C-alpha cells in the first residue's frame, strides 16, 4: 500500500512537523512553536470564517504541539466545532483533540456531550464508534454521569453493529472502573453474559473484559458466565490452528481471547457442576499437552502466544489449588522453562514457581529445582531475573533446605547489585530466624550479614538479633563469644559494634572467665572502636560501660575515668554529655545493690510479629512475605522459633534502642510515647520530679534538631535558660491584626513560609512537629536601614491555652540592625487538645516611635497529627465506631480555588493526615486518617472530602473521638480549598 | 493496561496513551522515569521489569521502543504480542512502517490504536477488522492531498 494515498494529507501540518524536526536547539523549537501558536490564534480570532479543513489542520497542529510537551490553552472550542462536522476526518480529529486535552470547562463539556449524544443517536456505526472511543478515552465522571445509562442499552441492542458492541463493552468497562456507582446493574447484565456466545470473536473478546470486571463485585449475578466461558475456551483450545482464520495468531487460535477467558475463570472457585469441571480440566490438560508438542513455527510470536496461554492456565491451576496432578505438571513444565534460552521465559517461570511454592501440593515439586534456581542466582546476567531467583529461593525455603539456601543467599550478597541488597539481607534474616534449629547458626548468620553487607543491615535486623539473644538463654554465651571474636577484626562494621556492645553489656560476664576475654580485655576492645563510631553508637557504648561497672566491679575505676574525661563530660552532643554525666553520678552515688537493680539484665522482650517481616512486607507490598508468614507448611516451627514467653516490660532501659525493639511494627495507636530514653532511668532511681527539668531535650527533640540546619547560635542555645513563655499577660498586648486569621490559614497545611510582612518587618516561620512536640524558628527581618530598638517578641496564651499548649521561647537581642535578621526558637509541647492558637506579640521602637503588632502563631491542632495508614476494612470499622452525632462535623462549601486533585492531595497531606487509596468507592473522593498526639490523650481522626467538580463544591466530613476537635478540624480544613 | 508509550532511541516520546486518569505533571514524570529506565537496559535483558507496583513490558522495534504498563495480574507475554500486533497493524497500514510515519501521521497512529485497544483492553484482534475500520474512514474522506513527504528521503532503517 503506497503511503502517499494514506491520510488526509494536511500539507501545512507536515511542513510544520518537519520544521520542528529541523530545529537545532530547544530554543529554536520553542520559537517556531510560538510563531505557530500566534498564527493559529490569529486564524481562530480572525473575521474570516475558517473552513472545516483549515480548522482541522490547526487543531491537529495544536495537538502535535501539546504532545511535544507544551501547554495548550486554546483551541478547545474549534475542536468542539469539528465534532459536529459531517466529514469523518474532521470529526475524528475533533474527538482526538478532546480526548487528549480533556478540559473541565463546564460549558465546553455541555457542548461535547451534546455532540457525543448526537453521534450516539446517529445510527451511523462509524460515528457511534468514534463517540464511544471518546467517552472511553476521557472516562471522566462527567462522561459517566451523562452516558453510563445509555451505553448498556447500545451494548445489548439487537440491531447494534458488532463493532459498536465491542466499543460499547469496553467503553462501559472504563466508566465502571472510574465510577462504579454510575453504572446501573439491571436486566442488561444477563444479556451481557450471553455475549460470550456471540458469533463474532471480536465481540466476545471485548465482552469478556467487561464481565471479568463486573463479576468481581457481583459474582453471583454473573455466575452463568463460568459454563459459557468454559465451553468457549474448550472450543478454542480444541480447534485446529487455522479454524479461526483471522483470529489465529501465528498458528495459535485466539490467544488474547483464551487468556481473557482463563482470567475470567480466576474470578471464581472451581466449577461446581461436574460436567463443566470435567470439560475445564480437559482444557487445562490440553494446554499442558500442547506445550510439549513441537512448535508450529520458529517465530517468537508463536511461542509467546502459546506460552501466554500456558502461563495463564498455570495461574488458574494455582488459583484453584485443588488438583495435585495439574499442579505438579505445571511445576514440571515451569522447570523446563527454568533453563530455556529465552530470558523472558526464565523470568516468568521463576515468578510463577514462586506462587507454586506456597501450595502444599506442589511445594515439594518446586523444591526439586533448587539447584537450577541457585545456579540462576549465580549466572543470570539480568538483575531482574536474579531478583526473581532470590524470591523463589525465599519462597521454597523450609527447614530441610534452609541452611543451603541461606548460605547461597549470603554468598550472592557479596556480589549482589546494590539495589537489591537490603531486600536480600531482610530475607536472609527472616529465613535464619524462622528455620533456625540451633540458635548458634542464627547468630552466626546475622553476624555474617553484618560482616558482608553491614551498610544494608537495617535497624530491624540487628534489633531482632538482640531480642532473640535476650530471650533465649541457651544462646547467650555463644553470642557473647562470637561477637567478641568478630570485634577483633581490625575493621568491623559499626553495626557489629552496636550488636557487640549491647551483647557484651548484657552477657559479657558469660565469657569473662576466659583470660583472653577478661573484663578489661572486653572493655578495651570495645573502647578501641568508640572514637570511630557515630553518636548513636557511642551513646549505646556508654550504656554498655555503665553495665560493665555493674557486671565487673574491677572495671569501675577505668570506666569512671573514661566518663569523667572532658571529651565526654563536655561533649558537644547533648545526648552523650547527658549520659556521661548521669552514668558517672550513678556509678558514684548508688550503692552496689541499687546499681545491680538498675542495671539488671534486660527482661525478655514480649513476642511480636517480627519487625523484619513487617519491613519486608512494606518493601514488597502485601503478600510478598505471606508464604512464610502463615507458617502453614511448617506447623512445628512455632514451638522453637516463634515461642518467647510474653513478659510485661517493666523497667526502662539504658539503651537507646531498647524501646524501639519490636514496637516499630505496632500501629501508631498502640505505640506508647517513645520516651524511654536514658533520662527516665534516673527519674526512676531518684524518684524525684526535680530531676526532670535538668534532663535537657528528650530524645524526640534531639531527633528534631538533627533534621534542622544547625542554627548559628545553637551551642549557646543549649545552655541558655528557657524563658517562661507568658511574661506579659494577655491584657498587655493589643488584639491580633485584622489579617491574622487569614495569615494563620496559610499555615494550616504547611510549616514554612512568610508569616507577616510590612514595610518595616518581615517574619518568617520554619517549623517541624513530631508526635506532640514541635520546634519553630521565627525569623525577624528588619527591612529598613535603621536599627530597631527594644525589640521584644513574646508568645502569649490567651484563655485556657496555658494548660493545653506549652511554648518555651528564648529572648532575642533587643536591637536589630537595619537589614539584619534575628532568629527566635520556640519549643512547643501539646498537652491536650486546643482550639485557639497562641498569640505572638512583637514590639519594638523604630526611629523613636513604638511599634506593636499581634499575630496568631501558626500552631494549630492539626500540627500534631500523625498520619495512620489503614486498609479499607479498618477504616470503615473505625468510621462506624465514631457514629455519634457529636463526633461528626460536616461542612459543605464552595471551592475557593481551582479544583485540582493533586493540589488537594498535597493540602491534605500537609494537613497531616494519611491519604488512603482504594477506600472510597468513588476514586474522586479523598479519605484520610490520623491521630492527634497530645501529652494527655490521643485523638483518632478520620476524614473524607468529596469534591463535586460540576457544582464547584466540596463536602467535608470529619469524625474524631472528641467533639470540639471534629468541629475545629473541619473549620480549619474547609478554609483550605 | 494502564498506559502505552512509544519513544525513540534518543528518548523522544512519539506516542502516549493513558488509560488511567493522571495529571499532566505525573504523566511527564512517569515518562521521564520510564524512558530512562528502559533505555538503560541492555539488548539481551528480559522484556519485563517491576516498576512501582506495575509491571512494565517493552520491546524495541528498530529505532522505536514500545512500552506498556500492566497490572500485577496481567499477562506479560500476551502484552508483548499486543505490542507486536500493533506494530503489524501500523506496518500494514503505512506499508513497512518506520518512525517517521508515526511522527508525521501521529493522528493515524492514535486512530489505529483506538480500534485495537480501548480503555486499556484488547477490543479487536483481527488485523482485517481493525484495518477495515480505518480504511473505511479513509474512504469516507473527501479531500485527498498528496502527502508532503515521500518514503525516498527517509534515511531510516525499516522496522523489520
Amino acid at each position: 500500500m503506497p503511503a502517499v494515498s494514506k491520510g488526509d494529507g494536511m500539507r501545512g501540518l507536515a511542513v510544520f512537523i518537519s520544521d520542528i524536526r529541523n530545529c537545532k536547539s530547544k530554543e529554536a523549537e520553542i520559537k517556531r512553536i510560538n510563531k505557530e501558536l500566534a498564527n493559529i490564534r490569529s486564524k481562530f480570532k480572525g473575521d474570516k470564517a475558517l473552513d472545516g479543513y483549515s480548522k482541522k489542520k490547526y487543531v491537529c497542529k495544536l495537538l502535535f504541539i501539546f504532545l511535544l510537551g507544551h501547554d495548550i490553552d486554546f483551541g478547545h472550542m474549534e475542536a468542539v466545532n469539528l465534532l459536529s462536522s459531517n466529514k469523518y476526518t474532521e470529526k475524528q480529529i475533533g474527538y482526538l483533540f478532546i480526548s487528549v486535552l480533556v478540559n473541565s470547562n463546564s460549558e465546553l463539556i455541555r457542548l461535547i456531550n451534546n455532540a457525543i449524544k448526537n453521534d450516539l443517536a446517529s445510527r451511523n456505526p462509524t460515528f457511534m464508534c468514534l463517540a464511544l472511543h471518546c467517552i472511553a478515552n476521557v472516562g471522566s465522571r462527567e462522561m459517566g454521569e451523562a452516558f453510563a445509562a445509555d451505553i448498556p442499552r447500545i451494548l445489548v441492542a439487537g440491531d447494534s453493529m458488532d463493532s459498536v458492541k465491542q466499543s460499547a463493552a469496553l467503553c462501559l468497562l472504563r466508566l465502571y472502573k472510574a465510577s462504579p456507582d454510575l453504572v446501573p446493574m439491571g436486566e442488561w447484565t444477563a444479556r451481557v453474559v450471553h455475549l460470550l456466545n456471540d458469533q463474532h470473536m471480536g465481540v466476545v473478546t471485548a465482552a469478556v473484559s467487561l464481565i471479568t470486571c463486573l463479576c468481581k463485585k457481583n459474582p453471583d449475578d454473573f455466575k452463568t458466565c463460568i459454563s459459557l466461558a468454559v465451553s468457549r475456551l474448550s472450543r478454542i483450545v480444541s480447534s485446529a490452528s487455522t479454524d479461526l482464520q483471522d483470529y489465529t495468531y501465528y498458528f495459535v487460535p485466539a490467544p488474547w481471547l483464551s487468556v481473557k477467558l482463563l482470567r475470567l475463570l480466576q474470578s471464581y472457585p472451581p466449577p461446581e457442576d461436574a460436567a463443566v469441571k470435567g470439560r475445564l480440566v480437559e482444557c487445562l490438560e490440553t494446554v499442558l499437552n500442547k506445550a510439549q508438542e513441537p512448535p508450529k513455527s520458529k517465530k517468537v510470536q508463536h511461542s509467546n502466544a502459546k506460552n501466554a496461554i500456558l502461563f495463564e492456565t498455570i495461574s488458574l491451576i494455582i488459583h484453584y489449588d485443588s488438583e495435585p496432578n495439574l499442579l505438579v505438571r505445571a511445576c514440571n513444565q515451569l522447570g523446563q522453562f527454568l533453563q530455556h534460552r529465552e530470558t523472558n521465559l526464565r523470568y516468568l517461570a521463576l515468578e510463577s514457581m514462586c506462587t507454586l511454592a506456597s501450595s502444599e501440593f506442589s511445594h515439594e515439586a518446586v523444591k526439586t529445582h533448587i539447584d537450577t534456581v541457585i545456579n540462576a542466582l549465580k549466572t543470570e546476567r539480568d538483575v531482574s531475573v536474579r531478583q526473581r531467583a532470590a524470591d523463589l529461593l525465599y519462597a521454597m525455603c523450609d527447614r530441610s533446605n534452609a541452611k543451603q539456601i541461606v548460605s547461597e543467599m549470603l554468598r550472592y550478597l557479596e556480589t549482589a547489585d546494590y539495589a537489591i541488597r537490603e531486600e536480600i539481607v531482610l530475607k536472609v534474616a527472616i529465613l535464619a530466624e524462622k528455620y533456625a534449629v540451633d540458635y548458634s547458626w542464627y547468630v552466626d548468620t546475622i553476624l555474617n550479614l553484618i560482616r558482608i553487607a553491614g551498610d544494608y543491615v537495617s535497624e530491624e535486623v540487628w534489633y531482632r538479633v538482640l531480642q532473640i539473644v535476650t530471650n533465649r538463654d541457651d544462646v547467650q554465651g555463644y553470642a557473647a563469644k562470637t561477637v567478641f571474636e568478630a570485634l577483633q577484626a581490625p575493621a568491623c562494621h559499626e553495626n557489629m559494634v552496636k550488636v557487640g556492645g549491647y551483647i557484651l553489656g548484657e552477657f559479657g560476664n558469660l565469657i569473662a572467665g576466659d583470660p583472653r576475654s577478661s573484663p578489661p580485655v572486653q572493655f578495651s576492645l570495645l573502647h578501641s572502636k568508640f572514637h570511630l563510631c557515630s553518636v548513636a553508637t557511642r551513646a549505646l557504648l556508654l550504656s554498655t560501660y555503665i553495665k560493665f561497672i555493674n557486671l565487673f566491679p574491677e572495671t569501675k575505676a577505668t570506666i569512671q575515668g573514661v566518663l569523667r574525661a572532658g571529651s565526654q563530660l563536655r561533649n558537644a552532643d547533648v545526648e552523650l554529655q547527658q549520659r556521661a554525666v548521669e552514668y558517672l553520678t550513678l556509678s558514684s552515688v548508688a550503692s552496689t545493690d541499687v546499681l545491680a537493680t538498675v542495671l539488671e539484665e534486660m527482661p525478655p522482650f514480649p513476642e511480636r510479629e517480627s519487625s523484619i517481616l513487617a519491613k519486608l512486607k512494606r518493601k514488597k507490598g502485601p503478600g510478598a512475605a505471606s508464604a512464610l508468614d502463615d507458617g502453614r507448611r511448617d506447623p512445628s516451627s512455632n514451638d522453637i522459633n516463634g515461642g518467647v514467653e510474653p513478659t510485661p516490660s517493666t523497667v526502662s532501659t539504658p539503651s537507646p534502642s531498647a524501646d524501639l525493639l519490636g514496637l516499630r511494627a505496632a500501629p501508631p495507636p498502640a505505640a506508647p510515647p517513645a520516651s524511654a530514653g536514658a533520662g527516665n532511668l534516673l527519674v526512676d532511681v531518684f524518684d524525684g520530679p526535680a530531676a526532670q527539668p535538668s534532663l535537657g531535650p528528650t530524645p524526640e527533640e534531639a531527633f528534631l534538631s538533627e533534621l534542622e540546619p544547625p542554627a548559628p547560635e545553637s551551642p549557646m542555645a543549649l545552655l541558655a535558660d528557657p524563658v517562661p513563655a507568658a511574661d506579659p499577660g494577655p491584657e498587655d498586648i493589643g488584639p491580633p491584626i485584622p489579617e491574622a486569621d487569614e495569615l494563620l490559614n496559610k499555615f494550616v497545611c504547611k510549616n514554612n513560609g512568610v508569616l507577616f510582612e510590612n514595610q518595616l518587618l518581615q517574619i518568617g516561620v520554619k517549623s517541624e512537629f513530631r508526635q506532640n512536640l514541635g520546634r519553630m524558628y521565627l525569623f525577624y527581618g528588619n527591612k529598613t536601614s535603621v536599627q530597631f530598638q527594644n525589640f521584644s517578641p513574646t508568645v502569649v496564651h490567651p484563655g485556657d491555652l496555658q494548660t493545653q499548649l506549652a511554648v518555651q521561647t528564648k529572648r532575642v537581642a533587643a536591637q536589630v540592625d537595619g537589614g539584619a535578621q534575628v532568629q527566635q526558637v520556640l519549643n512547643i509541647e501539646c498537652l491536650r487538645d486546643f482550639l485557639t492558637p497562641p498569640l505572638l506579640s512583637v514590639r519594638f521602637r523604630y526611629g523613636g516611635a513604638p511599634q506593636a503588632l499581634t499575630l496568631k502563631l501558626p500552631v494549630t491542632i492539626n500540627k500534631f497529627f500523625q498520619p495512620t495508614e489503614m486498609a479499607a476494612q479498618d477504616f470503615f470499622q473505625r468510621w462506624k465506631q465514631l457514629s455519634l452525632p457529636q463526633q461528626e462535623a460536616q461542612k459543605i462549601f464552595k471551592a475557593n480555588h481551582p479544583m485540582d486533585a493533586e493540589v488537594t492531595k498535597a493540602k491534605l497531606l500537609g494537613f497531616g493526615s494519611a491519604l488512603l487509596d482504594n477506600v472510597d468507592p468513588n476514586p474522586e473522593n479523598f479519605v484520610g486518617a490520623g491521630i492527634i498526639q497530645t501529652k494527655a490523650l490521643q485523638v483518632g481522626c478520620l476524614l473524607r472530602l468529596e469534591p463535586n467538580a460540576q457544582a464547584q463544591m466540596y463536602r467535608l466530613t470529619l469524625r474524631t473521638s472528641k467533639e470540639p476537635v471534629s468541629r475545629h478540624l473541619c473549620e480549619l480544613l474547609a478554609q483550605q480549598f | 493496561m494502564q498506559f502505552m508509550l512509544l519513544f525513540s532511541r534518543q528518548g523522544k516520546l512519539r506516542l502516549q496513551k493513558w488509560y488511567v486518569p493522571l495529571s499532566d505533571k505525573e504523566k511527564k514524570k512517569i515518562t521521564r522515569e520510564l524512558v530512562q529506565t528502559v533505555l538503560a537496559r541492555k539488548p539481551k535483558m528480559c522484556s519485563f521489569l517491576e516498576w512501582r507496583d506495575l509491571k512494565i513490558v517493552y520491546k524495541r522495534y528498530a529505532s522505536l521502543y514500545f512500552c506498556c504498563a500492566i497490572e500485577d495480574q496481567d499477562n506479560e507475554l500476551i502484552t508483548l504480542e499486543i505490542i507486536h500486533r500493533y506494530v503489524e497493524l501500523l506496518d500494514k497500514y503505512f506499508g513497512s512502517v518506520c518512525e517517521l510515519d508515526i511522527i508525521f501521521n501521529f493522528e493515524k497512529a492514535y486512530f489505529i490504536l483506538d480500534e485495537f485497544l480501548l480503555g486499556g483492553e484488547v477490543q479487536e484482534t483481527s488485523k482485517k477488522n481493525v484495518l477495515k475500520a480505518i480504511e473505511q474512514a479513509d474512504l469516507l474522506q473527501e479531500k485527498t492531498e498528496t502527502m508532503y513527504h515521500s518514503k525516498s528521503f527517509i534515511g531510516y532503517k525499516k522496522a523489520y
Side-chain angles (χ1 to χ4, degrees), chain A residues 418-440:
Chain A
Y418 296 110
I420 63 172
R421 280 194 184 185
E422 186 183 358
E423 197 184 319
I424 302 265
V425 166
L426 291 173
K427 286 185 163 157
V428 169
I430 290 167
L431 293 177
E433 180 187 339
K434 174 117 185 137
Y435 297 114
V437 183
D438 64 295
Y439 276 88
S440 50

Side-chain angles (χ1 to χ4, degrees), chain B residues 1-2 4-5 24 30 37-38 51 53 63 67 82-83 85-86 106 112 114 123 130 138 145:
Chain B
M1 189 184 294
Q2 298 221 337
M4 184 191 254
L5 304 175
D24 286 341
I30 290 175
T37 313
V38 170
W51 179 81
D53 52 351
S63 59
C67 173
I82 287 179
I83 293 176
R85 172 58 31 123
Y86 181 47
F106 66 97
I112 295 173
D114 272 352
Q123 172 173 227
V130 171
D138 283 345
E145 280 190 20

